[in-house]
Amino acid sequence: MRTRINVPDDSLTRLRIALTVFFALDGFVFAGWVVRIPAIKEQTGASASALGLALLGVSAGAVITMMLTGRLCRRYGTHRVTVVCAVLLSLSVALPPLTHSAVALGTVLLIFGAAYGSINVAFNSAAVDLVGALRRPIMPSFHAAFSLGGMLGAGLGGLVAGALSPTRHLFGLTVIGLLVTAVAGRTLLRIPAPTPSQEVPQQTSAPRRQGTRTRGLVITFGLIALCTAYGEGALADWSALHLEHDLEATPGVAAVGYSCFALAMTIGRLTGTRLLERLGQTRTLVGGGTTAALGMLLGALAPSVWAALLGFMITGLGLANLFPVAVERAGRLAGPDGVAIASTLGYGGMLLGPPAIGFMADWFSLPAALTSVAALAATAAIIALLTRRAAG
């Protein structure tokens, strides 16, 4: 039995625009927080390992709430949950600069991470449904908007780092976030979500016929997402510190590091649809993982700031389409549950990244710790290569 909520084409276009805005807002707010990490580290007096544990709060809060968010989406709808989570994200980003210890910072980052993880599950689930309704592989474009938002947020952070305190800067992000949510949220609340998963029964019946195999493939794509998110989280949390402390860059130039990475991610994702159509999923994943591994080795071990920035850009190009491909494929295999599983595993990479790099930085050095990003990017490429037949 096939059922579908009929949504006019112009409404689908409006939904695409609104979802794109929320993806961009998410990246913008998150990057705004990221570039102020060095200042907040100094404010709290935390060591590298203590900061790593505090930053664990973001990923821990995200992972803990992701499966719960999946259930809320099924009950209340992905559109409503996206809007509510956007409000919570905008409010919680103002909390970190109000803390003065690593423990307090970690506590408020749990709240920020919960909002961040929840909105990612909500709008990724909404995007998978819209991709199915439009019958076009546009998932990378949504993630390109996230990267563009991150680039703009990091660039703005670099510009205001010397003029505004973290408190004023992040409170400004709260105001911007609430205003954007008020405008874009009206579209999501007025237009019902399309339900392509019910129109294409083979996507929902596959888990019943081949439950074990399907779940294994979903977990496989989740592991690829994990390796990718580890790299994204590492560069978000530690790239500015690496440039400022290891390569003696100024705070403004250090903030540009993540902006370069986000710019490369944006370019890679804007071309992601064509890349997938030409190369296919396996070649895109293998080539992306290999490129990211080589780029991160350069970014971590380069002796100069400009070489490190180049390495960050190469890494961004390599990682660009790994996460969106993994999440979309998991959603096509197992519907919303597949999105939740892959997203949870993916953001588990962010759960592992901050403390792992923090401890490795104390034991060895921050450049040596960042080479773990290259190792996991290569691992993602190997997983995609070894499972190419099953995935096909």
Side-chain angles (χ1 to χ4, degrees), residues 145-218:
F146 172 85
S147 299
L148 178 60
M151 182 188 69
L152 294 176
L156 177 64
L159 290 175
V160 305
L164 294 180
S165 67
T167 301
R168 292 183 177 181
H169 175 201
L170 298 187
F171 179 75
L173 296 185
T174 295
V175 175
I176 293 172
L178 292 176
L179 290 175
V180 171
T181 300
V183 175
R186 295 176 63 186
T187 299
L188 291 190
L189 295 177
R190 289 179 177 180
I191 301 177
T195 56
S197 60
Q198 293 179 352
E199 187 183 16
V200 187
Q202 66 268 25
Q203 294 179 4
T204 56
S205 60
R208 300 190 188 99
R209 298 196 306 267
Q210 300 174 337
T212 301
R213 179 178 179 275
T214 299
R215 187 175 184 83
L217 287 174
V218 168

Side-chain angles (χ1 to χ4, degrees), residues 19 22-23 26 78 82 118-128 146:
L19 283 174
F22 277 109
F23 272 85
D26 188 41
T78 56
T82 296
S118 295
I119 194 173
N120 274 270
V121 170
F123 62 39
N124 269 298
S125 296
V128 168
F146 172 85

Side-chain angles (χ1 to χ4, degrees), residues 18-360:
L19 283 174
T20 299
V21 169
F22 277 109
F23 272 85
L25 176 65
D26 188 41
F28 180 80
V29 170
F30 185 73
W33 140 249
V34 162
V35 299
R36 301 317 297 256
I37 288 177
I40 294 176
K41 177 181 183 294
E42 182 178 353
Q43 175 180 302
T44 58
S47 64
S49 57
L51 178 64
L53 288 174
L55 294 174
L56 178 64
V58 176
S59 300
V63 171
I64 289 170
T65 57
M66 277 181 169
M67 296 308 295
L68 173 62
T69 304
R71 292 194 290 270
L72 292 175
C73 287
R74 288 192 294 272
R75 181 170 181 178
Y76 298 106
T78 56
H79 291 182
R80 290 181 180 179
V81 176
T82 296
V83 173
V84 171
C85 291
V87 172
L88 295 177
L89 181 73
S90 300
L91 293 174
S92 61
V93 74
L95 298 178
L98 303 180
T99 62
H100 296 280
S101 69
V103 174
L105 178 62
T107 301
V108 301
L109 288 181
L110 278 171
I111 302 172
F112 178 66
Y116 177 73
S118 295
I119 194 173
N120 274 270
V121 170
F123 62 39
N124 269 298
S125 296
V128 168
D129 287 341
L130 184 57
V131 167
L134 293 173
R135 298 183 179 278
R136 293 186 59 202
I138 61 170
M139 194 69 168
S141 69
F142 291 117
H143 290 261
F146 172 85
S147 299
L148 178 60
M151 182 188 69
L152 294 176
L156 177 64
L159 290 175
V160 305
L164 294 180
S165 67
T167 301
R168 292 183 177 181
H169 175 201
L170 298 187
F171 179 75
L173 296 185
T174 295
V175 175
I176 293 172
L178 292 176
L179 290 175
V180 171
T181 300
V183 175
R186 295 176 63 186
T187 299
L188 291 190
L189 295 177
R190 289 179 177 180
I191 301 177
T195 56
S197 60
Q198 293 179 352
E199 187 183 16
V200 187
Q202 66 268 25
Q203 294 179 4
T204 56
S205 60
R208 300 190 188 99
R209 298 196 306 267
Q210 300 174 337
T212 301
R213 179 178 179 275
T214 299
R215 187 175 184 83
L217 287 174
V218 168
I219 292 174
T220 297
F221 283 104
L223 291 175
I224 293 175
L226 183 151
C227 295
T228 305
Y230 180 99
E232 292 188 49
L235 283 166
D237 291 344
W238 296 102
S239 61
L241 287 172
H242 171 54
L243 293 174
E244 187 172 342
H245 293 173
D246 297 321
L247 300 178
E248 299 181 353
T250 64
V253 173
V256 170
Y258 184 72
S259 183
C260 289
F261 173 76
L263 173 62
M265 291 279 284
T266 304
I267 295 172
R269 287 171 171 173
L270 286 173
T271 59
T273 298
R274 291 185 179 181
L275 191 67
L276 286 167
E277 290 173 345
R278 287 191 175 187
L279 301 181
Q281 289 184 351
T282 298
R283 290 182 179 179
T284 298
L285 293 174
V286 173
T290 303
T291 300
L294 296 175
M296 197 60 226
L297 287 176
L298 175 62
L301 304 178
S304 68
V305 172
W306 301 113
L309 292 176
L310 176 62
F312 291 163
M313 294 191 71
I314 295 173
T315 303
L317 288 173
L319 294 181
N321 294 300
L322 301 190
F323 193 91
V325 168
V327 171
E328 182 188 358
R329 184 56 177 157
R332 291 182 63 190
L333 285 168
D337 289 338
V339 174
I341 292 172
S343 296
T344 301
L345 285 173
Y347 287 100
M350 291 187 181
L351 181 69
L352 295 173
I357 289 183
F359 283 117
M360 284 188 287

Side-chain angles (χ1 to χ4, degrees), residues 6-19:
N6 292 317
V7 181
D9 289 342
D10 61 334
S11 295
L12 292 179
T13 301
R14 291 166 58 198
L15 277 179
R16 181 178 181 181
I17 293 172
L19 283 174

